[in-house]
Amino acid sequence: MCIRDRYQRRVHGESISKNSVKFEMSLTIYGDLMSQPTRAVVAFCELANIEYEFEEIRVLRGEQQTREYTQVNPSQRVPAIKDGDLSMFESHAILRYLARSRKVEDHWYPEKDAKRCAYIDNYLDWHHQNTRLGSSIVFAKVFAEALGVEVTFDVEAQERNFHKSMKILEEYWIRDCLLYTSDAADDLLCVDLGGRRIIKKK
């Protein structure tokens, strides 16, 4: 079952995670599934069996700018979460928080292995301003016109950024980065959801 189908079932109040970690259902995710960072957080919760409620914030309708949502996320972006009395935003910070607070399987964010965590943190922090920002050209060239959205950024500059990011991705993250050990090569990490999967070169 794809993430969107699972999300739709949640909207209609169906329980879908038989082995879900019970955490008093305190977690609420605010987001728009058109947003890659939102999809990363939702996918992590689904794959790690973390119970949550989903509040859809339709970005194209400007719902992220409402007074109510601004109280959750003053930057008026998605995603954001509320977990009990905690409110937070920034998808990668959310992924790390959930990995720690829900005590998920160690392969997601192996805190006992400082070196692997350092690689994960390094990539997650690099990804936002590089591969993800550069890939906005896909939205600009493929989806913007169909959705009736005005492109307000410099497409040519982002295309240059995209090609530069792909070069770094290929020459460092895929070729040289030893993020995946041989015995964990088939395991998912938070990196896989926050950006692109990084594979150790054999």
Side-chain angles (χ1 to χ4, degrees):
M1 182 185 298
C2 71
I3 296 299
R4 180 171 291 276
D5 289 341
R6 295 168 72 90
Y7 154 72
Q8 291 291 349
R9 291 182 62 179
R10 283 191 184 278
V11 168
H12 291 91
E14 297 181 44
S15 176
I16 59 175
S17 299
K18 294 181 180 178
N19 299 316
S20 297
V21 176
K22 297 300 181 183
F23 213 83
E24 299 178 357
M25 287 299 293
S26 62
L27 176 64
T28 301
I29 301 172
Y30 300 83
D32 187 330
L33 290 181
M34 287 186 62
S35 153
Q36 182 271 325
T38 295
R39 294 196 302 271
V41 174
V42 170
F44 177 60
C45 289
E46 294 291 349
L47 294 169
N49 288 325
I50 297 172
E51 286 285 352
Y52 67 95
E53 297 289 343
F54 188 89
E55 291 288 338
E56 188 170 23
I57 305 296
R58 297 175 177 86
V59 172
L60 293 181
R61 298 183 184 178
E63 293 178 0
Q64 75 279 15
Q65 298 173 354
T66 64
R67 178 178 298 179
E68 293 79 10
Y69 183 67
T70 301
Q71 292 177 348
V72 177
N73 185 355
S75 69
Q76 298 183 330
R77 297 179 179 178
V78 292
I81 66 168
K82 288 189 71 174
D83 189 26
D85 60 359
L86 171 70
S87 294
M88 66 182 300
F89 44 95
E90 294 297 329
S91 60
H92 294 163
I94 292 171
L95 289 172
R96 285 184 283 241
Y97 166 72
L98 292 175
R100 293 183 178 115
S101 66
R102 268 44 181 190
K103 301 187 185 303
V104 299
E105 292 183 42
D106 187 61
H107 65 77
W108 286 108
Y109 192 71
E111 289 192 280
K112 294 180 181 179
D113 188 331
K115 185 175 181 180
R116 290 186 74 202
C117 276
Y119 278 127
I120 293 171
D121 291 340
N122 192 177
Y123 180 80
L124 290 176
D125 291 343
W126 177 83
H127 162 72
H128 262 318
Q129 294 299 315
N130 292 276
T131 48
R132 181 170 181 270
L133 189 62
S135 66
S136 60
I137 61 171
V138 177
F139 177 83
K141 292 186 173 183
V142 179
F143 299 109
E145 183 176 354
L147 294 170
V149 177
E150 181 183 1
V151 176
T152 58
F153 56 83
D154 186 333
V155 176
E156 291 185 0
Q158 290 305 339
E159 189 165 6
R160 290 193 295 271
N161 182 52
F162 176 75
H163 288 296
K164 180 181 178 181
S165 298
M166 290 301 100
K167 183 180 171 86
I168 295 172
L169 187 70
E170 292 174 357
E171 294 183 357
Y172 174 69
W173 289 111
I174 292 178
R175 187 183 69 187
D176 297 331
C177 179
L178 303 181
L179 181 57
Y180 284 90
T181 58
S182 58
D183 61 342
D186 293 328
D187 287 336
L188 288 167
L189 302 178
C190 287
V191 160
D192 303 322
L193 302 177
R196 164 179 178 137
R197 181 164 185 172
I198 302 167
I199 305 296
K200 176 184 175 182
K201 181 181 178 182
K202 295 184 179 180

